[in-house]
Amino acid sequence: TIKVVDAAGQPVPNAKVHVAQQRHLFRFGSAVPAVMLAAAQGPDADRFRAQVERFYNTVTLENDLKWHDLRPGEQAMIDKALEWCRQRGIQVRGHNLVWGSFQYLPKSVQVLDKEPLLAAIDQRVDDTVARYRGRCYLWDVVNEAATNTEVWNKVGWEAFADVYRHAHAADPNALLCYNDYGILTDNPGHRANVAKRIHYLIDHKAPLDVLGIQGHMGTPLVPIDRVLALLDEWAAFGKRLEITEFDVGCAD
């Protein structure tokens, strides 16, 4: 609501007000490697950064924040990329803290027994979220637990909800997300498994704010009215929805 008044505080009749949108509230994002924001040089890198700044208000640092053994200098590069985004008002999704398959764990963690593995998971969540506190507006806390179950089967499914509590304690202002695929396709068995994981988090009072819906689309494409109906199904959980990995792969 805009009120136009004169120096005496009286309404100005027939005042003309011009409003120009400065920024989208809707999130337009992309996966962006940290090296392209922080270190890459040359005309292609310059154009890449210009296009990111022009088109997006949100980015995911592609693979940089996944759980892996950091190489020398990689942490500094991530910090520089995050600062590049901050200076331009571009928000960053943290992807991801824990992926429940051993192949997505650092080699040093893959060989651990139950209790040491659980401790490593807790430390990963605590340290990572705390380090980037205030710099990631959201974390994909767990990725694809409907099908990647090895880790949770080993440490116990109660840890699946506990990692959300650890993340919330490390950054109470960050939104916490569960991310999975196959939601916008007619695969009722898989969707039922994803829904089971979401119900588990809700039933165990995990601090879950957002449902990340991967949007990998192939042929035949799901009709848009069916996509909207599927989104309505997930909206019924009462959480925010974000399309997190949208791409369209079509033959020829």
Side-chain angles (χ1 to χ4, degrees), residues 65-219:
L65 294 178
K66 292 177 180 177
W67 193 0
H68 60 282
D69 294 318
L70 291 175
R71 298 181 298 274
E74 190 171 5
Q75 186 63 72
M77 183 177 65
I78 293 171
D79 288 339
K80 187 176 179 180
L82 291 173
E83 177 60 17
W84 187 93
C85 291
R86 187 197 66 79
Q87 291 177 0
R88 290 157 180 82
I90 297 173
Q91 291 193 301
V92 178
R93 297 183 86 259
H95 178 79
N96 59 63
L97 291 173
V98 186
W99 204 341
S101 175
F102 289 121
Q103 67 175 317
Y104 301 125
L105 300 182
K107 286 183 169 49
S108 58
V109 177
Q110 292 176 8
V111 298
L112 297 178
D113 292 330
K114 175 181 177 179
E115 293 303 325
L117 176 57
L118 183 57
I121 291 171
D122 290 345
Q123 184 174 13
R124 152 70 178 172
V125 175
D126 294 344
D127 293 351
T128 305
V129 178
R131 175 174 179 79
Y132 300 111
R133 182 171 179 164
R135 293 192 284 174
C136 292
Y137 81 93
L138 174 149
W139 279 99
D140 287 325
V141 180
V142 176
N143 203 45
E144 301 177 356
T147 51
N148 290 266
T149 61
E150 295 174 316
V151 171
W152 311 113
N153 289 338
K154 185 169 185 177
V155 301
W157 278 91
E158 60 275 8
F160 175 48
D162 285 341
V163 292
Y164 282 82
R165 284 182 265 276
H166 278 268
H168 179 70
D171 187 352
N173 294 319
L175 296 173
L176 304 183
C177 181
Y178 172 72
N179 191 54
D180 218 318
Y181 68 93
I183 307 303
L184 301 181
T185 57
D186 274 313
N187 185 347
H190 176 72
R191 292 204 314 276
N193 284 333
V194 177
K196 180 181 177 182
R197 303 303 184 219
I198 297 169
H199 280 301
Y200 185 94
L201 292 173
I202 294 173
D203 291 345
H204 288 77
K205 295 181 171 49
L208 174 67
D209 304 299
V210 178
L211 300 181
I213 298 175
Q214 297 180 26
H216 303 296
M217 309 297 285
T219 52

Side-chain angles (χ1 to χ4, degrees), residues 22-36:
Q22 298 295 303
R23 184 178 182 84
H24 285 284
L25 178 63
F26 187 89
R27 294 190 182 279
F28 293 94
S30 188
V32 177
V35 64
M36 293 299 293

